[in-house]
Amino acid sequence: MASTSHSNPPGDSEDAPSGFGTRAVHAGQQPDPATGAVMTPIYQTSTYAQEAPGEHKGHEYSRVSNPTRSALEGNLAALEKADHGIAFSSGVAGIDAIMKSLRPGDHVVATDDLYGGTHRLLRQVFEPLNIETTFVDMGDPKAVEASFTDDTALLWVETPTNPLMRIVDIEALSERAHAHGITVAVDNTFATPYLQQPLLHGADLVLHSATKYLGGHSDLILGAVCTDSDEWAERLRFQVKSTGASPGPMDCFLTLRGTKTLHLRMEQHCANARRLAQMLNARSEVGRVRYPGLPSHPGHSLAQKQMSDYGGMISFELADDDMEKALAILDATDVFTLAESLGGVESLIEHPASMTHASIPAEERRKIGLTDSLIRLSVGVESFDDLRDDLDHALSQV
């Protein structure tokens, strides 16, 4: 992988260890040359001494680059097996930077089932700037291709989708998009690079809200984009430098701490989620359980093909689609905390229609199948029996 002052530090070479756990712990980081510190220091500085005008040691101003951030960028690039990693102040800031690299008149095709903040950004921020978005069901690659126009510049993919847990065929869509000269970006937040590496399936850009699983402890806000494209990496670094969407060194340090245990945490997230999905699937109060690890999930076979496991996110609807009962369930949990966000070690429960996806108009939510009784779970790493008993108690209330 390439080494620059803004990405992977010296020593991150092509012959580095290939095991995911080893890369998670070591990639992008060297013992501090000044002190020998094993953990990357928090370089809490805004500026750097220069030996002469324009002569510096790789960093000149922390909006542009910071040694702690550079270590994180190298680490994330290694996890996604990418040439470049670019860190941002949040996941949405990463999406914003990608969109700002487009031009008025460009067209975007995005999945119709996606994070509410992404929908809001595309519709309310960029459509007034004459960058239109068409939202489509990406389950049918032919239908997606039919939505392309001569102005389509970007295909925006989520898989698994948020919150309906649909699985999108990255390879098939990338082939069709590239045949039209269209860039493919995949939001990999739900899966993480431990379960899915979109660049290996043909994507050009991979977006992460590192706030979620990469950080893993619900104590930071950070985003990242990984890519093999030198051109896109330069565009995105220009956006960081010019718009100030740069993360602070403390958040970079905390994310580095989180990625060291990503593989361990994801194993437990997945194990707990698989068992809870099976339990929910057997409950009479529950209508449909949306979890790609269930053989009944329409994307199960595709998930087996492009993911190594099925993740820690579950959505389910009540059998009678009663919103009041759904809200009562949210109020009755104890181990599951009612809160937005996901991917932390603690289990969270939320109601997309009134929380994370409330910015999407009700008619659009209903059109894609996001019902008022849909409940989304971010399954944590607690003891399974406690999670099961908590949901069992909450469901028994309705």
Side-chain angles (χ1 to χ4, degrees):
M1 283 180 287
S3 297
T4 74
S5 62
H6 302 299
S7 186
N8 307 348
D12 240 8
S13 61
E14 292 286 354
D15 57 357
S18 59
F20 189 94
T22 306
R23 285 183 282 130
V25 173
H26 295 291
Q29 303 153 85
Q30 307 293 328
D32 180 52
T35 65
V38 173
M39 295 296 102
T40 301
I42 302 168
Y43 286 89
Q44 195 70 50
T45 183
S46 60
T47 192
Y48 306 83
Q50 300 189 21
E51 296 178 6
E55 294 182 15
H56 50 78
K57 298 179 180 180
H59 304 276
E60 50 190 322
Y61 191 63
S62 278
R63 172 164 39 80
V64 180
S65 66
N66 174 284
T68 313
R69 193 201 316 172
S70 294
L72 173 63
E73 291 174 336
N75 183 260
L76 297 180
L79 296 186
E80 284 288 2
K81 294 189 175 179
D83 287 340
H84 306 280
I86 303 94
F88 295 88
S89 53
S90 68
V92 169
I95 303 170
D96 180 70
I98 293 171
M99 291 298 297
K100 284 178 178 172
S101 298
L102 305 183
R103 292 295 175 262
D106 283 345
H107 175 243
V108 177
V109 174
T111 180
D112 60 356
D113 170 29
L114 80 174
Y115 168 52
T118 306
H119 185 281
R120 180 176 57 234
L121 186 69
L122 296 177
R123 270 281 168 84
Q124 299 183 37
V125 176
F126 284 99
E127 283 198 358
L129 301 177
N130 196 27
I131 299 177
E132 299 287 334
T133 298
T134 300
F135 295 91
V136 299
D137 181 348
M138 293 195 175
D140 182 358
K142 291 183 180 179
V144 175
E145 187 172 24
S147 69
F148 295 160
T149 73
D150 291 341
D151 297 320
T152 304
L154 179 68
L155 179 67
W156 188 267
V157 177
E158 280 188 14
T159 182
T161 61
N162 180 7
L164 298 181
M165 303 303 297
R166 295 171 178 166
I167 303 299
V168 175
D169 192 330
I170 301 170
E171 184 175 355
L173 289 181
S174 295
E175 289 178 357
R176 291 175 184 271
H178 290 158
H180 295 268
I182 298 168
T183 297
V184 178
V186 176
D187 186 333
N188 203 30
T189 298
F190 270 25
T192 81
Y194 185 61
L195 304 182
Q196 177 175 270
Q197 295 170 349
L199 296 181
L200 301 185
H201 296 284
D204 303 295
L205 304 168
V206 180
L207 181 282
H208 284 282
S209 172
T211 306
K212 314 305 194 295
Y213 286 108
L214 297 182
H217 294 80
S218 301
D219 55 6
L220 62 94
I221 301 290
L222 193 137
V225 177
C226 295
T227 182
D228 285 336
S229 167
D230 296 344
E231 180 182 355
W232 266 105
E234 193 59 34
R235 288 185 191 178
L236 296 174
R237 290 182 183 126
F238 175 81
Q239 290 293 334
V240 173
K241 175 175 69 174
S242 301
T243 67
S246 50
M250 174 60 82
D251 284 344
C252 292
F253 174 86
L254 291 173
T255 307
L256 273 173
R257 178 208 58 183
T259 58
K260 291 180 187 299
T261 59
L262 176 63
H263 55 302
L264 306 176
R265 290 183 285 105
M266 290 308 298
E267 290 287 343
Q268 189 63 28
H269 285 300
C270 292
N272 280 345
R274 279 195 303 271
R275 298 176 69 185
L276 283 179
Q278 293 166 358
M279 182 271 281
L280 289 167
N281 209 33
R283 295 288 303 228
S284 61
E285 304 93 337
V286 176
R288 180 176 180 180
V289 180
R290 298 174 180 271
Y291 184 67
L294 293 173
S296 58
H297 189 286
H300 179 68
S301 296
L302 179 56
Q304 286 182 313
K305 174 186 173 183
Q306 67 185 24
M307 300 175 68
S308 61
D309 209 329
Y310 306 105
M313 300 298 298
I314 303 172
S315 293
F316 67 94
E317 297 145 344
L318 298 185
D320 56 7
D321 194 25
D322 188 316
M323 180 174 174
E324 294 305 316
K325 289 182 180 179
L327 296 178
I329 290 172
L330 270 63
D331 188 54
T333 59
D334 183 27
V335 181
F336 280 86
T337 300
L338 176 61
E340 296 192 6
S341 199
L342 58 104
V345 291
E346 68 291 327
S347 291
L348 303 179
I349 188 169
E350 68 109 1
H351 182 243
S354 62
M355 297 172 69
T356 54
H357 292 69
S359 62
I360 300 176
E363 61 274 13
E364 291 191 35
R365 295 199 304 267
R366 287 191 291 268
K367 183 179 179 181
I368 66 172
L370 201 170
T371 67
D372 286 342
S373 75
L374 186 78
I375 293 172
R376 193 188 76 179
L377 304 176
S378 174
V379 181
V381 301
E382 301 95 337
S383 297
F384 171 76
D385 290 349
D386 293 324
L387 297 175
R388 177 200 60 206
D389 292 348
D390 194 38
L391 284 182
D392 183 72
H393 167 74
L395 287 167
S396 69
Q397 305 303 300
V398 300

